[in-house]
Amino acid sequence: MKKLAFVFLSLCVILLSFYSYKLLNEISARNVYNEGVNPSETSEIEGDNLVDKKAMIENEDLELILDNLKNQKGHNLILANKWNPLGEDFEPVPIKDAAGDVPSTKDKMLLQEEAYDAVISLFEEANKEGIEGLWVVSGYRPYSYQSKLFNAKVNSFSSQYDLETAKVKASEIVAIPGTSEHQTGLAIDFSSSELLRTSDPLVEAFKDTAQGQWLYNNSWKFGFVLRYSSDKKEITGIISEPWHFRYVGIPHAQYMTYNNLCLEEYIDYIKAEKEFIFEDFFGNKYLIGYVQKENHDILLNEEFSLEKVINVSEIAEEEYIVTLKLY
Ligand SMILES: [Zn+2]
């Protein structure tokens, strides 16, 4: 009898434990759902948002976004080459004079503001690393100045050739007005103290100097790229110029340098990719993409918001490359 009672009691304990375990589980499960949102509800919400966002962008709000981008436009990635000349009235704004701030060979060394800030940081770091004798030789050149240089060259050929041939000959040596990157205010020619004592400080030998080497290895950290390298001359239309650096902004400079892309290739790459996320050397994360009226996937990206836009470059009429800093 005692044995039977023991078995009965044991059974009761087992059953009780089982039900209390089940009950506890249910309670904690309910708590989870109370604290958070049911996963199936989340996907419904996101789905609705996406539909709303798409509808919004496909309507007149796209015009608003495009207008907004137009108003914010800087031009870090603007392309100036013989196939994409800048207009006579293109001027970089705002513009600053770097002559008193960094070693310059001219009394005035105008640069677009972002390039100005970047070159000051670049010189600070170069000095810290013991690089001396680095000079800025050329910065912003207005269209009118480029015209003067070009016409002088054409005139120098006019006794030997007819006007058209003289122009072609001149264009092999001096950039046709509108096609010089110096008109963007984002291009800088550098040289060294040693080369400045020679008749031509802008020569291929600059790449073998300590200053040229340092720029080659470090300028991307400040948003500059070596713009004309010998392996890209078919694409850029310009032979090797180891002294000519172009400001494009840090994420772009790092991406282009690490992937060996010149500006023409990089712009084509962004247009083909439509959008991509990139984390730079400093741990900053960017969303980079292409926006045009009929082609604007990046606006649907859940990370997209106008407040995060740090640069808008108009690469052609109503065609933009936008850069958003995510963190
Ligand atoms: Zn140059």
Side-chain angles (χ1 to χ4, degrees):
M1 196 58 198
K2 253 186 182 174
K3 207 176 175 184
L4 252 176
F6 176 74
V7 170
F8 177 74
L9 260 173
S10 303
L11 259 174
C12 283
V13 168
I14 289 168
L15 273 173
L16 203 68
S17 312
F18 175 73
Y19 279 108
S20 14
Y21 173 76
K22 220 181 143 193
L23 193 69
L24 267 173
N25 259 355
E26 269 175 25
I27 290 168
S28 60
R30 232 176 276 150
N31 280 344
V32 167
Y33 285 125
N34 283 342
E35 279 164 21
V37 184
N38 186 317
S40 60
E41 282 170 24
T42 317
S43 59
E44 266 168 40
I45 290 168
E46 276 177 359
D48 283 352
N49 270 350
L50 204 64
V51 171
D52 285 352
K53 208 168 176 185
K54 196 156 190 170
M56 178 194 93
I57 285 164
E58 277 168 4
N59 291 326
E60 68 270 23
D61 285 329
L62 175 62
E63 296 292 333
L64 274 178
I65 292 175
L66 288 176
D67 275 353
N68 207 312
L69 292 180
K70 200 175 212 163
N71 293 334
Q72 288 192 52
K73 88 181 172 210
H75 54 273
N76 287 356
L77 295 176
I78 200 167
L79 198 55
N81 60 25
K82 62 170 114 168
W83 305 281
N84 301 277
L86 297 172
E88 197 170 341
D89 52 0
F90 181 92
E91 278 176 29
V93 279
I95 199 155
K96 288 180 100 171
D97 186 2
D101 305 304
V102 296
S104 306
T105 58
K106 293 174 193 148
D107 295 340
K108 235 182 187 180
M109 196 58 77
L110 298 178
L111 291 170
Q112 193 266 349
E113 192 176 40
E114 266 189 69
Y116 163 89
D117 290 338
V119 82
I120 287 177
S121 306
L122 180 146
F123 268 91
E124 278 170 7
E125 185 59 29
N127 289 340
K128 246 189 249 167
E129 294 186 22
I131 296 296
E132 288 170 356
L134 177 65
W135 289 79
V136 171
V137 174
S138 198
Y140 168 58
R141 266 182 235 150
Y143 186 96
S144 55
Y145 180 75
Q146 198 64 34
S147 276
K148 219 164 78 185
L149 287 183
F150 185 74
N151 292 336
K153 205 38 113 184
V154 173
N155 284 339
S156 76
F157 283 125
S158 60
S159 57
Q160 294 163 264
Y161 305 102
D162 62 84
L163 185 63
E164 278 317 300
T165 316
K167 277 185 180 172
V168 172
K169 290 277 169 196
S171 72
E172 287 167 3
I173 302 161
V174 177
I176 297 170
T179 68
S180 166
E181 256 207 342
H182 287 279
Q183 196 186 334
T184 65
L186 300 166
I188 298 177
D189 291 339
F190 292 94
S191 193
S192 67
S193 301
E194 214 173 306
L195 286 172
L196 280 167
R197 285 193 283 270
T198 66
S199 58
D200 188 359
L202 303 180
V203 284
E204 190 64 20
F206 180 64
K207 78 168 191 284
D208 301 318
T209 63
Q211 297 84 354
Q213 281 291 311
W214 188 87
L215 284 176
Y216 183 76
N217 292 319
N218 296 283
S219 61
W220 62 270
K221 295 175 194 161
F222 304 91
F224 290 93
V225 289
L226 174 69
R227 178 70 175 96
Y228 305 120
S229 60
S230 54
D231 61 330
K232 304 287 180 185
K233 65 178 179 213
E234 304 298 329
I235 307 167
T236 62
I238 307 270
I239 55 163
S240 166
E241 287 194 359
W243 59 86
H244 180 113
F245 286 78
R246 159 71 191 265
Y247 181 79
V248 287
I250 288 172
H252 306 296
Q254 185 180 336
Y255 201 94
M256 290 166 71
T257 304
Y258 273 54
N259 294 288
N260 188 29
L261 299 173
C262 65
L263 188 56
E264 287 81 358
E265 291 174 303
Y266 183 55
I267 288 174
D268 283 348
Y269 170 77
I270 299 173
K271 284 172 81 166
E273 281 296 300
K274 295 198 170 100
E275 56 172 322
F276 64 96
I277 286 182
F278 176 62
E279 191 171 327
D280 75 7
F281 176 76
F282 304 98
N284 300 309
K285 203 170 168 187
Y286 301 89
L287 173 63
I288 298 164
Y290 176 63
V291 179
Q292 192 205 14
K293 228 176 218 166
E294 295 80 29
N295 198 339
H296 48 265
D297 287 7
I298 190 173
L299 304 182
L300 294 172
N301 189 305
E302 57 181 19
E303 300 272 21
F304 188 91
S305 84
L306 286 169
E307 298 85 64
K308 294 181 193 164
V309 173
I310 55 162
N311 187 266
V312 180
S313 296
E314 193 171 32
I315 51 161
E317 177 107 22
E318 302 220 311
E319 279 184 61
Y320 306 97
I321 290 186
V322 288
T323 309
L324 287 81
K325 192 172 181 183
L326 304 181
Y327 63 74

